Amino acid sequence: MNRRTRTALGALAGGALLLAIGGALWLTLKPAADLSGRYGSQGQIRLSSGAVINATHSIQFSDGRFYAMSRQGDVLVETSGHIEHASDDRYLLRVDSGEVTRLRAEIDNALLFNLLYGRHKGAVIHLEPLHGCLYARETRQLYCAGGS
């Protein structure tokens, strides 16, 4: 092989390497814009006291942002923030703002912790697929397409 051929092959190999690195970065940093629409669920939650309360969760994904509202008994939680693509079909929801309304003294401590965690600015909620729906791990909320 002459010098010109080696140089051309080296340039091609370097270009292929840069292309491979760029493709890997694109897959890793893929924007979350592919997550869109309204998801929700409704059901009941059994508290540690044995009491059962109604629960409704609704979330809207639009332009890389989320807007969520959950009602659990007499507690209403509103949260919003931005979406980050974690890996494969998993996402991170980063809370920008949140508010809890009508908090009662007799609410279950575990339920209270989950609700309060999800409203703090900077909180990260891992969103992962579960039986065709999306499960928010830290707040223990389930969202299904076309739901409430």
Side-chain angles (χ1 to χ4, degrees), residues 95-122:
V95 176
D96 292 337
S97 66
E99 185 176 327
V100 176
T101 311
R102 293 183 63 191
L103 195 56
R104 306 183 314 181
E106 64 268 8
I107 193 166
D108 183 76
N109 285 338
L111 176 61
L112 179 60
F113 176 81
N114 294 338
L115 294 173
L116 292 177
Y117 173 85
R119 75 171 177 97
H120 285 289
K121 182 176 181 162

PDB file of all heavy atoms in Angstrom, residues 95-122:
ATOM      1  N   VAL A  95     -38.839  17.753  38.099  1.00  0.00           N
ATOM      2  CA  VAL A  95     -39.876  18.667  38.587  1.00  0.00           C
ATOM      3  C   VAL A  95     -39.345  20.102  38.616  1.00  0.00           C
ATOM      4  O   VAL A  95     -38.286  20.365  39.174  1.00  0.00           O
ATOM      5  CB  VAL A  95     -40.354  18.240  39.997  1.00  0.00           C
ATOM      6  CG1 VAL A  95     -41.353  19.234  40.556  1.00  0.00           C
ATOM      7  CG2 VAL A  95     -40.944  16.832  39.952  1.00  0.00           C
ATOM      8  N   ASP A  96     -40.107  21.011  37.993  1.00  0.00           N
ATOM      9  CA  ASP A  96     -39.804  22.442  38.057  1.00  0.00           C
ATOM     10  C   ASP A  96     -40.628  23.114  39.151  1.00  0.00           C
ATOM     11  O   ASP A  96     -40.166  24.018  39.817  1.00  0.00           O
ATOM     12  CB  ASP A  96     -40.105  23.127  36.722  1.00  0.00           C
ATOM     13  CG  ASP A  96     -39.157  22.699  35.617  1.00  0.00           C
ATOM     14  OD1 ASP A  96     -38.038  22.236  35.929  1.00  0.00           O
ATOM     15  OD2 ASP A  96     -39.538  22.814  34.440  1.00  0.00           O
ATOM     16  N   SER A  97     -41.877  22.669  39.297  1.00  0.00           N
ATOM     17  CA  SER A  97     -42.730  23.234  40.344  1.00  0.00           C
ATOM     18  C   SER A  97     -43.821  22.239  40.714  1.00  0.00           C
ATOM     19  O   SER A  97     -44.169  21.366  39.930  1.00  0.00           O
ATOM     20  CB  SER A  97     -43.364  24.554  39.880  1.00  0.00           C
ATOM     21  OG  SER A  97     -44.253  24.317  38.819  1.00  0.00           O
ATOM     22  N   GLY A  98     -44.329  22.398  41.909  1.00  0.00           N
ATOM     23  CA  GLY A  98     -45.394  21.529  42.376  1.00  0.00           C
ATOM     24  C   GLY A  98     -46.073  22.112  43.589  1.00  0.00           C
ATOM     25  O   GLY A  98     -45.507  22.946  44.296  1.00  0.00           O
ATOM     26  N   GLU A  99     -47.304  21.679  43.803  1.00  0.00           N
ATOM     27  CA  GLU A  99     -48.080  22.210  44.917  1.00  0.00           C
ATOM     28  C   GLU A  99     -49.021  21.138  45.446  1.00  0.00           C
ATOM     29  O   GLU A  99     -49.622  20.387  44.683  1.00  0.00           O
ATOM     30  CB  GLU A  99     -48.885  23.413  44.431  1.00  0.00           C
ATOM     31  CG  GLU A  99     -49.632  24.118  45.518  1.00  0.00           C
ATOM     32  CD  GLU A  99     -50.326  25.369  44.989  1.00  0.00           C
ATOM     33  OE1 GLU A  99     -49.796  26.006  44.078  1.00  0.00           O
ATOM     34  OE2 GLU A  99     -51.403  25.677  45.514  1.00  0.00           O
ATOM     35  N   VAL A 100     -49.150  21.066  46.759  1.00  0.00           N
ATOM     36  CA  VAL A 100     -50.086  20.166  47.417  1.00  0.00           C
ATOM     37  C   VAL A 100     -51.188  21.023  48.023  1.00  0.00           C
ATOM     38  O   VAL A 100     -50.910  22.009  48.703  1.00  0.00           O
ATOM     39  CB  VAL A 100     -49.398  19.337  48.529  1.00  0.00           C
ATOM     40  CG1 VAL A 100     -50.411  18.470  49.259  1.00  0.00           C
ATOM     41  CG2 VAL A 100     -48.297  18.475  47.944  1.00  0.00           C
ATOM     42  N   THR A 101     -52.444  20.653  47.777  1.00  0.00           N
ATOM     43  CA  THR A 101     -53.583  21.408  48.256  1.00  0.00           C
ATOM     44  C   THR A 101     -54.481  20.525  49.121  1.00  0.00           C
ATOM     45  O   THR A 101     -54.621  19.342  48.849  1.00  0.00           O
ATOM     46  CB  THR A 101     -54.402  21.928  47.046  1.00  0.00           C
ATOM     47  OG1 THR A 101     -53.521  22.555  46.126  1.00  0.00           O
ATOM     48  CG2 THR A 101     -55.461  22.916  47.484  1.00  0.00           C
ATOM     49  N   ARG A 102     -55.087  21.124  50.145  1.00  0.00           N
ATOM     50  CA  ARG A 102     -56.061  20.475  51.033  1.00  0.00           C
ATOM     51  C   ARG A 102     -55.479  19.297  51.796  1.00  0.00           C
ATOM     52  O   ARG A 102     -56.069  18.224  51.864  1.00  0.00           O
ATOM     53  CB  ARG A 102     -57.290  20.038  50.256  1.00  0.00           C
ATOM     54  CG  ARG A 102     -58.093  21.199  49.717  1.00  0.00           C
ATOM     55  CD  ARG A 102     -59.324  20.747  49.016  1.00  0.00           C
ATOM     56  NE  ARG A 102     -60.203  20.056  49.944  1.00  0.00           N
ATOM     57  CZ  ARG A 102     -61.245  19.366  49.583  1.00  0.00           C
ATOM     58  NH1 ARG A 102     -61.547  19.239  48.322  1.00  0.00           N
ATOM     59  NH2 ARG A 102     -62.005  18.766  50.473  1.00  0.00           N
ATOM     60  N   LEU A 103     -54.339  19.452  52.387  1.00  0.00           N
ATOM     61  CA  LEU A 103     -53.694  18.405  53.157  1.00  0.00           C
ATOM     62  C   LEU A 103     -54.437  18.197  54.477  1.00  0.00           C
ATOM     63  O   LEU A 103     -54.699  19.145  55.204  1.00  0.00           O
ATOM     64  CB  LEU A 103     -52.240  18.804  53.425  1.00  0.00           C
ATOM     65  CG  LEU A 103     -51.297  17.734  53.895  1.00  0.00           C
ATOM     66  CD1 LEU A 103     -51.265  16.570  52.920  1.00  0.00           C
ATOM     67  CD2 LEU A 103     -49.912  18.318  54.029  1.00  0.00           C
ATOM     68  N   ARG A 104     -54.775  16.953  54.806  1.00  0.00           N
ATOM     69  CA  ARG A 104     -55.498  16.622  56.031  1.00  0.00           C
ATOM     70  C   ARG A 104     -54.541  16.027  57.058  1.00  0.00           C
ATOM     71  O   ARG A 104     -53.555  15.395  56.705  1.00  0.00           O
ATOM     72  CB  ARG A 104     -56.578  15.570  55.775  1.00  0.00           C
ATOM     73  CG  ARG A 104     -57.531  15.916  54.708  1.00  0.00           C
ATOM     74  CD  ARG A 104     -58.586  14.865  54.574  1.00  0.00           C
ATOM     75  NE  ARG A 104     -57.997  13.514  54.582  1.00  0.00           N
ATOM     76  CZ  ARG A 104     -58.713  12.425  54.465  1.00  0.00           C
ATOM     77  NH1 ARG A 104     -59.995  12.479  54.334  1.00  0.00           N
ATOM     78  NH2 ARG A 104     -58.138  11.246  54.476  1.00  0.00           N
ATOM     79  N   ALA A 105     -54.882  16.180  58.307  1.00  0.00           N
ATOM     80  CA  ALA A 105     -54.046  15.663  59.390  1.00  0.00           C
ATOM     81  C   ALA A 105     -54.020  14.134  59.408  1.00  0.00           C
ATOM     82  O   ALA A 105     -53.020  13.536  59.768  1.00  0.00           O
ATOM     83  CB  ALA A 105     -54.536  16.189  60.727  1.00  0.00           C
ATOM     84  N   GLU A 106     -55.112  13.470  59.032  1.00  0.00           N
ATOM     85  CA  GLU A 106     -55.173  12.014  59.142  1.00  0.00           C
ATOM     86  C   GLU A 106     -54.684  11.271  57.897  1.00  0.00           C
ATOM     87  O   GLU A 106     -54.912  10.078  57.773  1.00  0.00           O
ATOM     88  CB  GLU A 106     -56.595  11.560  59.502  1.00  0.00           C
ATOM     89  CG  GLU A 106     -57.644  11.863  58.462  1.00  0.00           C
ATOM     90  CD  GLU A 106     -58.353  13.197  58.679  1.00  0.00           C
ATOM     91  OE1 GLU A 106     -57.947  13.980  59.542  1.00  0.00           O
ATOM     92  OE2 GLU A 106     -59.323  13.443  57.958  1.00  0.00           O
ATOM     93  N   ILE A 107     -53.974  11.924  57.020  1.00  0.00           N
ATOM     94  CA  ILE A 107     -53.470  11.240  55.824  1.00  0.00           C
ATOM     95  C   ILE A 107     -52.347  10.265  56.204  1.00  0.00           C
ATOM     96  O   ILE A 107     -51.595  10.502  57.141  1.00  0.00           O
ATOM     97  CB  ILE A 107     -52.996  12.256  54.764  1.00  0.00           C
ATOM     98  CG1 ILE A 107     -52.787  11.545  53.433  1.00  0.00           C
ATOM     99  CG2 ILE A 107     -51.741  12.955  55.196  1.00  0.00           C
ATOM    100  CD1 ILE A 107     -52.662  12.501  52.267  1.00  0.00           C
ATOM    101  N   ASP A 108     -52.248   9.190  55.469  1.00  0.00           N
ATOM    102  CA  ASP A 108     -51.252   8.147  55.680  1.00  0.00           C
ATOM    103  C   ASP A 108     -49.843   8.702  55.436  1.00  0.00           C
ATOM    104  O   ASP A 108     -49.598   9.400  54.453  1.00  0.00           O
ATOM    105  CB  ASP A 108     -51.563   7.019  54.687  1.00  0.00           C
ATOM    106  CG  ASP A 108     -50.655   5.836  54.851  1.00  0.00           C
ATOM    107  OD1 ASP A 108     -50.848   5.078  55.810  1.00  0.00           O
ATOM    108  OD2 ASP A 108     -49.762   5.684  54.004  1.00  0.00           O
ATOM    109  N   ASN A 109     -48.890   8.396  56.321  1.00  0.00           N
ATOM    110  CA  ASN A 109     -47.532   8.930  56.205  1.00  0.00           C
ATOM    111  C   ASN A 109     -46.817   8.486  54.926  1.00  0.00           C
ATOM    112  O   ASN A 109     -46.105   9.271  54.300  1.00  0.00           O
ATOM    113  CB  ASN A 109     -46.692   8.537  57.420  1.00  0.00           C
ATOM    114  CG  ASN A 109     -47.047   9.347  58.636  1.00  0.00           C
ATOM    115  OD1 ASN A 109     -47.593  10.444  58.522  1.00  0.00           O
ATOM    116  ND2 ASN A 109     -46.742   8.818  59.805  1.00  0.00           N
ATOM    117  N   ALA A 110     -46.977   7.235  54.516  1.00  0.00           N
ATOM    118  CA  ALA A 110     -46.318   6.756  53.292  1.00  0.00           C
ATOM    119  C   ALA A 110     -46.879   7.481  52.074  1.00  0.00           C
ATOM    120  O   ALA A 110     -46.132   7.897  51.186  1.00  0.00           O
ATOM    121  CB  ALA A 110     -46.498   5.248  53.152  1.00  0.00           C
ATOM    122  N   LEU A 111     -48.196   7.646  52.038  1.00  0.00           N
ATOM    123  CA  LEU A 111     -48.828   8.374  50.949  1.00  0.00           C
ATOM    124  C   LEU A 111     -48.370   9.831  50.949  1.00  0.00           C
ATOM    125  O   LEU A 111     -48.038  10.389  49.902  1.00  0.00           O
ATOM    126  CB  LEU A 111     -50.349   8.303  51.078  1.00  0.00           C
ATOM    127  CG  LEU A 111     -51.170   9.101  50.074  1.00  0.00           C
ATOM    128  CD1 LEU A 111     -50.899   8.627  48.662  1.00  0.00           C
ATOM    129  CD2 LEU A 111     -52.646   8.983  50.406  1.00  0.00           C
ATOM    130  N   LEU A 112     -48.308  10.425  52.097  1.00  0.00           N
ATOM    131  CA  LEU A 112     -47.861  11.813  52.224  1.00  0.00           C
ATOM    132  C   LEU A 112     -46.429  11.977  51.708  1.00  0.00           C
ATOM    133  O   LEU A 112     -46.130  12.904  50.963  1.00  0.00           O
ATOM    134  CB  LEU A 112     -47.950  12.268  53.690  1.00  0.00           C
ATOM    135  CG  LEU A 112     -47.487  13.679  53.990  1.00  0.00           C
ATOM    136  CD1 LEU A 112     -48.319  14.688  53.219  1.00  0.00           C
ATOM    137  CD2 LEU A 112     -47.584  13.939  55.491  1.00  0.00           C
ATOM    138  N   PHE A 113     -45.559  11.057  52.062  1.00  0.00           N
ATOM    139  CA  PHE A 113     -44.169  11.124  51.598  1.00  0.00           C
ATOM    140  C   PHE A 113     -44.101  11.093  50.072  1.00  0.00           C
ATOM    141  O   PHE A 113     -43.402  11.893  49.450  1.00  0.00           O
ATOM    142  CB  PHE A 113     -43.345   9.973  52.175  1.00  0.00           C
ATOM    143  CG  PHE A 113     -41.937   9.953  51.657  1.00  0.00           C
ATOM    144  CD1 PHE A 113     -40.972  10.783  52.203  1.00  0.00           C
ATOM    145  CD2 PHE A 113     -41.586   9.135  50.602  1.00  0.00           C
ATOM    146  CE1 PHE A 113     -39.675  10.793  51.710  1.00  0.00           C
ATOM    147  CE2 PHE A 113     -40.285   9.134  50.098  1.00  0.00           C
ATOM    148  CZ  PHE A 113     -39.332   9.963  50.655  1.00  0.00           C
ATOM    149  N   ASN A 114     -44.825  10.164  49.447  1.00  0.00           N
ATOM    150  CA  ASN A 114     -44.817  10.050  47.990  1.00  0.00           C
ATOM    151  C   ASN A 114     -45.318  11.329  47.329  1.00  0.00           C
ATOM    152  O   ASN A 114     -44.744  11.802  46.352  1.00  0.00           O
ATOM    153  CB  ASN A 114     -45.679   8.879  47.529  1.00  0.00           C
ATOM    154  CG  ASN A 114     -45.116   7.555  47.968  1.00  0.00           C
ATOM    155  OD1 ASN A 114     -43.937   7.427  48.249  1.00  0.00           O
ATOM    156  ND2 ASN A 114     -45.973   6.566  48.056  1.00  0.00           N
ATOM    157  N   LEU A 115     -46.395  11.902  47.866  1.00  0.00           N
ATOM    158  CA  LEU A 115     -46.958  13.116  47.293  1.00  0.00           C
ATOM    159  C   LEU A 115     -46.021  14.302  47.462  1.00  0.00           C
ATOM    160  O   LEU A 115     -45.816  15.085  46.537  1.00  0.00           O
ATOM    161  CB  LEU A 115     -48.308  13.428  47.945  1.00  0.00           C
ATOM    162  CG  LEU A 115     -49.431  12.432  47.669  1.00  0.00           C
ATOM    163  CD1 LEU A 115     -50.651  12.774  48.505  1.00  0.00           C
ATOM    164  CD2 LEU A 115     -49.780  12.413  46.195  1.00  0.00           C
ATOM    165  N   LEU A 116     -45.452  14.449  48.643  1.00  0.00           N
ATOM    166  CA  LEU A 116     -44.581  15.590  48.901  1.00  0.00           C
ATOM    167  C   LEU A 116     -43.280  15.494  48.115  1.00  0.00           C
ATOM    168  O   LEU A 116     -42.759  16.503  47.644  1.00  0.00           O
ATOM    169  CB  LEU A 116     -44.297  15.728  50.395  1.00  0.00           C
ATOM    170  CG  LEU A 116     -45.502  16.128  51.253  1.00  0.00           C
ATOM    171  CD1 LEU A 116     -45.117  16.164  52.725  1.00  0.00           C
ATOM    172  CD2 LEU A 116     -46.069  17.456  50.809  1.00  0.00           C
ATOM    173  N   TYR A 117     -42.751  14.296  47.947  1.00  0.00           N
ATOM    174  CA  TYR A 117     -41.511  14.124  47.172  1.00  0.00           C
ATOM    175  C   TYR A 117     -41.698  14.658  45.752  1.00  0.00           C
ATOM    176  O   TYR A 117     -40.861  15.376  45.231  1.00  0.00           O
ATOM    177  CB  TYR A 117     -41.087  12.657  47.101  1.00  0.00           C
ATOM    178  CG  TYR A 117     -39.908  12.468  46.172  1.00  0.00           C
ATOM    179  CD1 TYR A 117     -38.609  12.661  46.627  1.00  0.00           C
ATOM    180  CD2 TYR A 117     -40.088  12.146  44.828  1.00  0.00           C
ATOM    181  CE1 TYR A 117     -37.522  12.539  45.780  1.00  0.00           C
ATOM    182  CE2 TYR A 117     -39.009  12.020  43.968  1.00  0.00           C
ATOM    183  CZ  TYR A 117     -37.734  12.217  44.456  1.00  0.00           C
ATOM    184  OH  TYR A 117     -36.676  12.106  43.607  1.00  0.00           O
ATOM    185  N   GLY A 118     -42.800  14.319  45.132  1.00  0.00           N
ATOM    186  CA  GLY A 118     -43.026  14.655  43.739  1.00  0.00           C
ATOM    187  C   GLY A 118     -43.297  16.112  43.468  1.00  0.00           C
ATOM    188  O   GLY A 118     -43.381  16.527  42.325  1.00  0.00           O
ATOM    189  N   ARG A 119     -43.424  16.938  44.479  1.00  0.00           N
ATOM    190  CA  ARG A 119     -43.716  18.351  44.243  1.00  0.00           C
ATOM    191  C   ARG A 119     -42.495  19.244  44.373  1.00  0.00           C
ATOM    192  O   ARG A 119     -42.543  20.409  44.025  1.00  0.00           O
ATOM    193  CB  ARG A 119     -44.800  18.841  45.186  1.00  0.00           C
ATOM    194  CG  ARG A 119     -44.295  19.047  46.595  1.00  0.00           C
ATOM    195  CD  ARG A 119     -45.331  19.737  47.465  1.00  0.00           C
ATOM    196  NE  ARG A 119     -44.847  19.842  48.808  1.00  0.00           N
ATOM    197  CZ  ARG A 119     -44.267  20.923  49.307  1.00  0.00           C
ATOM    198  NH1 ARG A 119     -44.111  21.988  48.577  1.00  0.00           N
ATOM    199  NH2 ARG A 119     -43.853  20.934  50.550  1.00  0.00           N
ATOM    200  N   HIS A 120     -41.374  18.750  44.880  1.00  0.00           N
ATOM    201  CA  HIS A 120     -40.194  19.580  45.124  1.00  0.00           C
ATOM    202  C   HIS A 120     -39.423  19.868  43.839  1.00  0.00           C
ATOM    203  O   HIS A 120     -39.161  18.956  43.053  1.00  0.00           O
ATOM    204  CB  HIS A 120     -39.252  18.906  46.132  1.00  0.00           C
ATOM    205  CG  HIS A 120     -39.757  18.991  47.525  1.00  0.00           C
ATOM    206  ND1 HIS A 120     -39.778  20.150  48.244  1.00  0.00           N
ATOM    207  CD2 HIS A 120     -40.288  18.049  48.327  1.00  0.00           C
ATOM    208  CE1 HIS A 120     -40.297  19.941  49.435  1.00  0.00           C
ATOM    209  NE2 HIS A 120     -40.623  18.654  49.513  1.00  0.00           N
ATOM    210  N   LYS A 121     -39.051  21.136  43.669  1.00  0.00           N
ATOM    211  CA  LYS A 121     -38.251  21.538  42.512  1.00  0.00           C
ATOM    212  C   LYS A 121     -36.947  20.737  42.508  1.00  0.00           C
ATOM    213  O   LYS A 121     -36.279  20.612  43.524  1.00  0.00           O
ATOM    214  CB  LYS A 121     -37.948  23.027  42.563  1.00  0.00           C
ATOM    215  CG  LYS A 121     -37.166  23.497  41.370  1.00  0.00           C
ATOM    216  CD  LYS A 121     -36.947  24.975  41.369  1.00  0.00           C
ATOM    217  CE  LYS A 121     -36.174  25.334  40.110  1.00  0.00           C
ATOM    218  NZ  LYS A 121     -36.265  26.728  39.779  1.00  0.00           N
ATOM    219  N   GLY A 122     -36.616  20.187  41.359  1.00  0.00           N
ATOM    220  CA  GLY A 122     -35.399  19.403  41.218  1.00  0.00           C
ATOM    221  C   GLY A 122     -35.582  17.917  41.502  1.00  0.00           C
ATOM    222  O   GLY A 122     -34.675  17.126  41.252  1.00  0.00           O
TER     223      GLY A 122
END
